[in-house]
Amino acid sequence: MKTLVIAEKPDMGRTIAAVIEPRAKNNRSYLEGENYIITWAIGHLLGLAEPDAYDEKYKRWNFGDLPILPDRFKIVPNPRTKDQLKTIGEVAKRCNCIVNACDAGREGQYIFALIQQQLKLTQPVKRLWISDLTAESIQKGFDSLHEEAEFENLTQAARARSEADWLIGMNASRAFTTKHRTLLSVGRVQTPVLALIYDRQKEIESFDSLTYYEIKAELEQLGRKYTGTWQGDRLTDAEKAAAIADKVRGKAGRISEYEVKDTKEYPFKLYDLTLLQRDANAKYGYSAKKTLDLAQALYERHKVISYPRTNSNYVTEQNIDGMHKALHMLKSGPYQQLVEGANPRLVHVGNKSVCNPARVEDHHAILPTLRRAGTLSKEEQNVYDLVIRRFLSHFYPPAEYKQHTVLTEVAGETFKTNVKELLSLGWKVCQPEDPRAGSRGKKKDEEEEQEELVSEPFHVEKDKPVQCLDAQAKEKATQPPKAYTEGTLLKAMESAGKQLENEELRDAMKDAGLGTPATRAATIERLKNVGYITMQGKRITVTQKGRTAIELIRHAGIELLTSPEMTGQWERRLYQISKGEAAREKFMENVKRFTLSIIDKVRVQPKADASLFEIKEEERKGGRGKGPKAKSSAQRKASGSEQSGGNELKRPDTAEKKRVSGSAPGSLQPLAPCPREGCGGQLIEGRKGYGCTHYKQGCGFVIWKEYAGKNISVNMLTSLAGKGQTQLLTFKQPEGDFKARIVLADSMSGKLDLQRAEE
């Protein structure tokens, strides 16, 4: 009898076989050698059954049949991979021992447990627990296999997560869908993520821009010129700002304060998956899913990086030697110059910014393996390059600067200068972009103190006089919060729990957030596919359907479904289950109670008007999952499960009502009072413009959405309706750019005009 090894993916199985059975015969769906048969899952071969597996009546979606609460959950094979499941069952009959070689984590444990349950495998099981697929790691792993029983609690936590997601997703999605006659997908992770995007968009739309004035002075001392920014309360009066500039221009001044201090910037943390996805999105515009797929290919197919689905930015003592070997491996190749400048002594077990075993759970940070990169696609090379440069940066010292802070007083007015003088690049030589750039992550808005980065020495004499050569007051405007990109949304998902007031819940989410590194990309894709969000370039915007979904859930009194708090509660309890400190049964009882409360609250909710789900024209143009061709995909992906390979929600027989064309108004929400004297109506958004609700009474006021090449946003509309003008805008023309305000020229009709700024 032989030992059966079950890996999670085909490439992983073949890599393992090359180490433990190098002469194994290839039988397409498994490899067989003298001692081992190596086969594999293809991700999730099994999943939780659809509701109609419990009762035929659930094929039709009826509110009266809710809630659906199975006493025992059934599992069913994935029809696309059922042949592979059959293969595992057949080869298992010839083996007296099994090695679980699925990914070392909660989901890998669950994938194996479902296979074992479905095929009724009774052989003793050992567990291979490794973080990369190098020959050395595989051999070490097989030399020290774990008992499968050690991971039983982790399996129980995985089952609880999957079944609880099914209960919430299936019941809440059916409840809201049948109540409002529109396919509405609800889930423990996807719904609070949608709420994050919705809340940010509402902030942007309600933002009231404030015009203010900044005064800059050009100063000179002993032939050295430098720039100072006026210090004082924010100026909103143009005349007052101009008066201060006139007051100091050409006058003598003095340095009232001058401080110099040495500063250091240390390398950014090693990559976990989310950090890698954020950087790849910022630099290359890759979606979270695309980066995950590329990283997975680098791990599985090319075997040049360690396991990428990690949430750790650190390594253990056992990884330090491998890091030094990887550094040596990179010596010959495109990174030779960087390797030659590296200092191996900087990476050691005492360096807590690299080696911190307490911060490593299932997997360490993403590292290069000892295999040289062969032929990679351009996109694979881009992701590999990010990993290598981040890795190499830790073999370099910190970047060093002198921070100069100067306060210059001219005619009783104070101007501040911040100069950052570069002394040594240190690890920043590893950055492919301009290595002199400041550390990423700083806020770039009008509130940030401006800082000049220089590479030549900077110095002023505190006791010598200064001359103000010039001073100018410049008009500026406060900026609204930025719309999410996939990169910034990933960061928000990762840190979602930090805003929770409950310290215990906040602590439970500190390393989890919304979703896991491996599932966040799938969550974003699901929101696109069900028509809740659309992409405008790199920006994520909520569709009308997405807005309505969040508002309906909140108005039903189920705020918990849109908040990270529920995920915090779940993650805390699942962690306790995985450690044997809490019972799975008790957790599931609480989930069932919450499911019942959702049904009760939706039951008494008024039915939403069909117009609240209409597709706007820009949404139809903008992305996936909106057009009629994408509808069946959207229905399939309105999934109750929050993990890849989960159960898909079938289309109800009470089908989603045919959507009306985008010519109808996208929203009936009042945006501003109608400026027409004596009208008393409200402006609402239509397909091509903003019109008055009193149009049936004869009010013809309308502001069209496009004017002079500019799109009139809701924010600009409220300024036009309330103040009669927008803030100062830049207009581009072949003969040259110019600045102007859009003004409301006729309050009876809504006619607009341009008012150029005085040069």
Side-chain angles (χ1 to χ4, degrees):
M1 299 290 277
K2 298 179 180 181
T3 296
L4 176 64
V5 178
I6 302 176
E8 190 163 318
K9 300 274 182 66
D11 282 340
M12 296 167 66
R14 294 188 182 101
T15 302
I16 290 169
V19 176
I20 62 172
E21 283 284 9
R23 297 179 182 175
K25 181 184 176 185
N26 189 347
N27 293 289
R28 196 175 66 81
S29 55
Y30 68 95
L31 296 157
E32 184 166 0
E34 190 176 336
N35 299 306
Y36 294 96
I37 298 176
I38 302 98
T39 188
W40 42 79
I42 306 172
H44 286 258
L45 296 181
L46 296 136
L48 297 180
E50 294 285 343
D52 57 73
Y54 302 94
D55 194 315
E56 280 289 313
K57 69 180 181 182
Y58 294 136
K59 282 187 176 178
R60 295 183 64 86
W61 287 31
N62 293 309
F63 196 100
D65 291 333
L66 300 177
I68 306 168
L69 303 171
D71 292 326
R72 181 179 174 82
F73 282 86
K74 298 179 180 180
I75 58 173
V76 292
N78 183 332
R80 290 172 296 181
T81 54
K82 62 182 180 182
D83 289 344
Q84 185 62 22
L85 183 66
K86 184 180 177 183
T87 295
I88 296 174
E90 288 171 351
V91 295
K93 293 172 184 174
R94 299 193 282 117
C95 300
N96 62 357
C97 183
I98 298 175
V99 174
N100 172 6
C102 292
D103 285 351
R106 190 165 75 186
E107 278 313 292
Q109 200 62 24
Y110 186 49
I111 286 170
F112 178 83
L114 292 185
I115 294 170
Q116 189 181 33
Q117 176 185 337
Q118 178 73 6
L119 297 177
K120 299 181 172 60
L121 303 178
T122 57
Q123 297 94 325
V125 178
K126 299 282 188 180
R127 184 57 158 114
L128 176 71
W129 193 271
I130 56 176
S131 289
D132 60 60
L133 289 173
T134 60
E136 184 180 29
S137 293
I138 291 168
Q139 192 57 62
K140 278 185 179 177
F142 271 89
D143 289 342
S144 55
L145 291 169
H146 297 264
E147 293 295 331
E148 179 71 7
E150 294 177 35
F151 302 93
E152 178 55 29
N153 290 328
L154 189 61
T155 304
Q156 292 299 321
R159 284 187 186 276
R161 193 282 311 154
S162 179
E163 293 170 5
D165 275 340
W166 191 98
L167 287 173
I168 298 298
M170 289 294 177
N171 283 283
S173 295
R174 287 185 176 221
F176 280 101
T177 295
T178 54
K179 182 71 177 185
H180 303 292
R181 301 296 185 187
T182 297
L183 190 71
L184 294 173
S185 176
V186 181
R188 171 183 64 94
V189 174
Q190 70 172 30
T191 301
V193 172
L194 177 60
L196 285 175
I197 304 166
Y198 170 91
D199 290 339
R200 173 63 59 88
Q201 196 155 317
K202 293 291 280 185
E203 282 182 60
I204 294 168
E205 290 168 357
S206 63
F207 181 80
D208 190 11
S209 183
L210 173 72
T211 299
Y212 69 100
Y213 298 86
E214 181 183 76
I215 305 167
K216 292 277 193 182
E218 186 183 352
L219 305 161
E220 183 183 46
Q221 184 194 69
L222 302 175
R224 173 182 290 283
K225 292 180 181 178
Y226 62 98
T227 302
T229 304
W230 182 77
Q231 302 295 289
D233 294 336
R234 176 179 275 169
L235 291 169
T236 54
D237 186 323
E239 291 182 5
K240 187 175 180 182
I244 293 173
D246 293 341
K247 176 183 175 184
V248 300
R249 191 182 299 114
K251 300 292 194 315
R254 67 183 187 89
I255 293 174
S256 57
E257 285 185 36
Y258 178 35
E259 182 184 56
V260 184
K261 62 179 181 180
D262 293 325
T263 62
K264 293 181 179 181
E265 284 185 19
Y266 289 87
F268 299 127
K269 291 184 290 187
L270 290 167
Y271 279 128
D272 60 11
L273 177 60
T274 303
L275 270 183
L276 180 62
Q277 288 169 318
R278 284 167 51 192
D279 276 6
N281 180 257
K283 185 167 185 185
Y284 301 113
Y286 296 164
S287 70
K289 181 180 184 302
K290 183 170 189 171
T291 302
L292 174 57
D293 290 344
L294 291 169
Q296 200 68 23
L298 292 171
Y299 166 65
E300 285 183 13
R301 188 160 66 248
H302 301 290
K303 302 169 186 63
V304 293
I305 66 170
S306 63
Y307 184 76
R309 297 171 182 245
T310 175
N311 64 352
S312 177
N313 307 103
Y314 302 93
V315 303
T316 66
E317 295 95 332
Q318 288 74 35
N319 301 121
I320 297 298
D321 182 55
M323 291 180 72
H324 286 125
K325 288 178 178 175
L327 179 70
H328 183 75
M329 178 273 295
L330 292 167
K331 212 173 246 184
S332 55
Y335 301 99
Q336 179 182 356
Q337 191 174 347
L338 287 175
V339 175
E340 287 175 351
N343 180 358
R345 292 192 300 275
L346 293 175
V347 173
H348 53 84
V349 294
N351 181 349
K352 291 301 179 186
S353 65
V354 174
C355 183
N356 191 344
R359 301 293 299 275
V360 181
E361 288 194 13
D362 296 342
H363 305 283
H364 56 68
I366 302 173
L367 300 173
T369 65
L370 302 183
R371 176 171 289 205
R372 298 181 193 282
T375 304
L376 304 178
S377 71
K378 174 65 175 168
E379 292 173 332
E380 288 170 341
Q381 180 60 46
N382 287 341
V383 173
Y384 183 65
D385 186 66
L386 288 174
V387 172
I388 295 301
R389 291 179 181 275
R390 181 62 61 95
F391 167 78
L392 290 174
S393 69
H394 285 273
F395 290 91
Y396 278 80
E400 296 183 10
Y401 301 88
K402 272 192 186 298
Q403 190 81 40
H404 301 263
T405 305
V406 186
L407 292 182
T408 307
E409 194 176 293
V410 183
E413 305 293 342
T414 300
F415 294 84
K416 188 173 186 178
T417 304
N418 289 307
V419 174
K420 192 175 183 180
E421 177 191 341
L422 176 66
L423 302 178
S424 170
L425 279 173
W427 64 275
K428 291 195 174 185
V429 298
C430 299
Q431 290 186 320
E433 66 272 12
D434 180 2
R436 296 184 304 163
S439 59
R440 186 171 56 257
K442 284 188 177 179
K443 274 192 170 181
K444 297 291 180 188
D445 58 29
E446 72 279 357
E447 301 295 340
E448 183 187 356
E449 287 194 345
Q450 294 173 359
E451 179 179 77
E452 183 183 1
L453 184 65
V454 298
S455 53
E456 66 279 356
F458 177 88
H459 183 70
V460 292
E461 298 286 346
K462 189 173 186 307
D463 300 325
K464 295 289 183 2
V466 176
Q467 188 71 19
C468 178
L469 302 179
D470 192 17
Q472 297 292 333
K474 294 184 178 179
E475 183 179 292
K476 293 205 161 191
T478 55
Q479 299 299 308
K482 290 185 178 178
Y484 280 119
T485 64
E486 287 205 26
T488 56
L489 180 60
L490 285 167
K491 182 179 180 182
M493 291 170 74
E494 186 179 45
S495 60
K498 289 182 180 176
Q499 280 70 49
L500 293 176
E501 292 183 11
N502 184 306
E503 188 175 343
E504 196 176 351
L505 297 186
R506 195 165 60 240
D507 190 58
M509 288 186 72
K510 74 175 188 293
D511 294 321
L514 288 171
T516 66
T519 61
R520 287 178 189 134
T523 299
I524 296 171
E525 291 301 307
R526 186 179 296 114
L527 291 174
K528 294 176 189 175
N529 290 330
V530 298
Y532 284 161
I533 63 173
T534 187
M535 303 299 296
Q536 295 182 348
K538 287 172 71 172
R539 294 186 301 118
I540 301 172
T541 59
V542 179
T543 64
Q544 182 59 39
K545 181 179 179 181
R547 288 172 183 265
T548 303
I550 290 298
E551 288 165 3
L552 286 173
I553 292 167
R554 285 177 169 168
H555 292 162
I558 318 169
E559 179 71 24
L560 194 60
L561 264 180
T562 66
S563 163
E565 185 178 343
M566 187 170 78
T567 288
Q569 292 172 347
W570 282 30
E571 286 301 332
R572 175 182 61 179
R573 191 64 68 206
L574 291 171
Y575 178 79
Q576 290 171 342
I577 294 169
S578 73
K579 298 297 181 185
E581 298 166 2
R584 173 173 167 269
E585 294 74 20
K586 180 67 174 173
F587 170 75
M588 294 305 297
E589 281 177 26
N590 290 334
V591 172
K592 287 177 180 179
R593 274 202 294 272
F594 182 58
T595 302
L596 287 168
S597 75
I598 293 173
I599 305 302
D600 291 342
K601 288 177 179 177
V602 178
R603 181 178 286 112
V604 298
Q605 187 176 40
K607 180 181 176 296
D609 190 276
S611 65
L612 294 173
F613 302 102
E614 290 165 2
I615 308 170
K616 295 182 183 179
E617 188 64 26
E618 59 268 30
E619 294 171 7
R620 192 183 299 280
K621 291 176 183 174
R624 296 183 261 177
K626 318 301 181 305
K629 288 182 181 177
K631 190 185 287 183
S632 61
S633 170
Q635 289 159 345
R636 287 198 307 274
K637 292 186 180 288
S639 171
S641 171
E642 298 289 357
Q643 301 282 5
S644 56
N647 307 283
E648 293 177 340
L649 187 65
K650 289 182 177 175
R651 176 178 176 170
D653 291 340
T654 55
E656 179 179 9
K657 282 190 174 181
K658 184 178 179 183
R659 287 171 170 165
V660 298
S661 72
S663 60
S667 170
L668 300 180
Q669 181 180 354
L671 302 172
C674 178
R676 190 168 179 168
E677 190 174 351
C679 172
Q682 292 284 328
L683 298 184
I684 58 173
E685 185 174 0
R687 177 180 156 194
K688 292 185 177 180
Y690 304 98
C692 180
T693 53
H694 285 183
Y695 67 94
K696 288 184 178 178
Q697 289 96 307
C699 180
F701 186 94
V702 62
I703 290 178
W704 302 110
K705 285 187 176 178
E706 189 173 328
Y707 178 74
K710 295 287 186 185
N711 291 323
I712 305 296
S713 66
V714 172
N715 200 36
M716 292 164 72
L717 172 77
T718 54
S719 289
L720 285 165
K723 303 174 185 175
Q725 63 180 29
T726 68
Q727 66 185 62
L728 210 56
L729 305 168
T730 301
F731 293 82
K732 296 183 181 295
Q733 285 193 351
E735 58 269 24
D737 297 355
F738 67 93
K739 291 196 172 185
R741 301 178 194 274
I742 299 174
V743 298
L744 182 60
D746 184 357
S747 61
M748 295 296 287
S749 66
K751 181 183 176 183
L752 303 177
D753 204 349
L754 283 184
Q755 186 180 83
R756 289 200 180 217
E758 294 182 8
E759 296 295 336

